[in-house]
Amino acid sequence: MKILGTGSYLPERIVTNEELSEIVDTNDEWISTRTGIRTRRISAGETVSDLASKAAFAALEDAGISAEQVDMILLATMTGNALMPNTACLVQKKIGAKYASCLDVNAACSGFLYALNLANACLVSGMYKNILVIGAETLSKIIDWADRSTCVLFGDGAGAAVVAADSAKRYVSETGADGDRGEALKAGETGLGNFIVRREEKLNYYMTMNGQEVFKFAVKKVPECIGAVLKKAEVFLEEIDYFLLHQANVRIIASVAKRLGVNMEKMPVNLDKYGNTSAASIAILLDEIRKEGKLAEGKKIILAGFGGGLTWGAAYLEL
Ligand code: COA
């Protein structure tokens, strides 16, 4: 699989740590030292399909293909516009990808990786030729803005990549999930209610998180998963040019770098600007460092994500 083009889009509205300290009992010092986050973007009216479509347009332009050449749209999100139609169909309509099949993928912050895996399988099987893989979120709508332990961490945004089959470019991945630990990170319970049972009254719509459990899970699972991918791909750690990790917390990224014995210069960080944008984070980072000219032909990269589910994944890609 090869990447033909990438794009990203962030809502204009920048929210600083200082601004959040006017809403909840927090401060810039706590947020920046514990997480590395300084600002995040929050949607002031744009929906997930709006953000995703803008990232998709940019990726198509970068790839030099038209929307009508897209055979499939895979949209990783957990904050879609509605249960039906899926958000990928809304993006299809907005960008005019009238020949595309459309599917939303929900694996929380690992969503973009899971979607890339599906894209790779569809390309390798010959089912599709050009696939638009998008990660997009408006997490701000599922955040409890009175809960300081979560509201300071997240942001809205979208990133996209156009991928196509290329037997000369290897893609090797590893994903996993542990539903037993799903309670650690939850949002958007819909519950059950019908003419037989009353709808549960205490539904938990807003995000809840056991921060320390998620932290411990991430710093253990991400290096393990990257190690497994390198082994499967038969590639040495030293051969990797960049490790693009899910952008949740700079301390998680630094801990993974330390455990692997990798210099932080190989692990780009943009969470200081955008916070944790869940399924969008790896896609946005991929676009940014590509636009900086760091991903020239022949470079080798690792993408790695983790999040609600609990889910995780890593992928080795040759550019
Ligand atoms: N501002 C100020 N104080 C805050 C705060 C905030 N925004 N949020 C929590 N605190 C307080 C707590 O109430 C607690 O106070 P107490 O000691 O008086 O009880 C104190 O800070 C320490 O809280 P704790 O939860 O132990 O902090 P921590 O060092 O574990 O950092 C996280 C919290 C959330 C930053 C950290 O656990 C983390 O990053 N976890 C991973 C989360 C994540 O990445 N989730 C998404 C995965 S996709």
Side-chain angles (χ1 to χ4, degrees):
M1 180 169 80
K2 74 174 165 200
I3 296 174
L4 295 182
T6 57
S8 57
Y9 178 78
L10 280 305
E12 268 179 33
R13 177 72 157 85
I14 298 172
V15 176
T16 62
N17 290 345
E18 285 79 10
E19 191 173 350
L20 287 183
S21 68
E22 289 163 19
I23 304 174
V24 287
D25 180 14
T26 189
N27 55 72
D28 175 54
E29 210 260 325
W30 192 97
I31 303 169
S32 52
T33 54
R34 304 265 177 151
T35 70
I37 300 165
R38 295 194 172 274
T39 60
R40 69 286 294 144
R41 302 295 183 92
I42 300 295
S43 170
E46 292 166 304
T47 64
V48 171
S49 64
D50 295 327
L51 306 186
S53 300
K54 288 181 178 167
F57 271 129
L60 288 172
E61 195 185 348
D62 189 42
I65 71 162
S66 72
E68 293 187 359
Q69 289 172 274
V70 173
D71 305 306
M72 177 168 230
I73 299 173
L74 285 170
L75 173 55
T77 188
M78 59 172 163
T79 49
N81 293 41
L83 293 177
M84 185 171 65
N86 70 25
T87 308
C89 283
L90 302 179
V91 172
Q92 176 197 34
K93 183 176 159 191
K94 274 187 207 288
I95 67 172
K98 58 184 178 185
Y99 303 112
S101 300
C102 297
L103 179 67
D104 286 2
V105 177
N106 181 352
C109 304
S110 314
F112 186 71
L113 270 170
Y114 270 62
L116 267 186
N117 273 359
L118 292 175
N120 182 60
C122 292
L123 294 170
V124 168
S125 72
M127 190 189 277
Y128 299 119
K129 205 160 158 250
N130 296 313
I131 302 183
L132 181 56
V133 186
I134 310 170
E137 303 281 10
T138 49
L139 294 168
S140 58
K141 73 179 182 186
I142 57 163
I143 296 297
D144 175 356
W145 289 99
D147 175 11
R148 69 175 183 173
S149 71
T150 52
C151 77
V152 300
L153 304 175
F154 300 94
D156 301 334
V162 180
V163 292
D166 185 337
S167 56
K169 312 275 185 194
R170 296 173 67 219
Y171 176 91
V172 180
S173 68
E174 180 86 15
T175 53
D178 182 359
D180 283 342
R181 293 163 77 190
E183 291 292 313
L185 194 46
K186 292 202 312 183
E189 274 180 358
T190 53
L192 179 69
N194 56 31
F195 74 99
I196 301 166
V197 287
R198 273 164 62 100
R199 183 164 293 278
E200 293 158 54
E201 275 165 17
K202 283 194 120 189
L203 289 175
N204 198 357
Y205 179 75
Y206 294 113
M207 186 181 306
T208 57
M209 178 178 74
N210 180 334
Q212 289 184 5
E213 194 181 332
V214 175
F215 193 99
K216 282 187 222 146
F217 150 73
V219 296
K220 183 167 182 288
K221 193 49 88 176
V222 175
E224 266 175 28
C225 194
I226 291 175
V229 165
L230 291 171
K231 197 170 170 205
K232 215 181 200 179
E234 298 180 335
V235 173
F236 292 112
L237 189 76
E238 299 72 33
E239 292 178 63
I240 303 300
D241 295 293
Y242 290 103
F243 297 79
L244 307 192
L245 267 53
H246 168 50
Q247 302 286 298
N249 184 323
V250 76
R251 290 192 295 135
I252 294 178
I253 298 175
S255 167
V256 173
K258 196 170 165 204
R259 282 183 194 221
L260 289 173
V262 169
N263 193 311
M264 271 298 273
E265 276 169 21
K266 285 192 169 188
M267 293 202 178
V269 171
N270 67 5
L271 63 86
D272 53 324
K273 293 184 288 183
Y274 309 135
N276 178 346
T277 56
S278 189
S281 88
I282 296 173
I284 295 170
L285 188 63
L286 178 67
D287 181 50
E288 283 195 346
I289 73 156
R290 211 167 153 268
K291 299 282 156 65
E292 286 169 20
K294 291 179 175 161
L295 300 185
E297 177 104 26
K299 294 277 183 198
K300 296 172 177 176
I301 60 170
I302 290 275
L303 311 180
F306 58 90
L310 298 176
T311 56
W312 61 88
Y316 163 75
L317 267 98
E318 292 174 354
L319 294 152

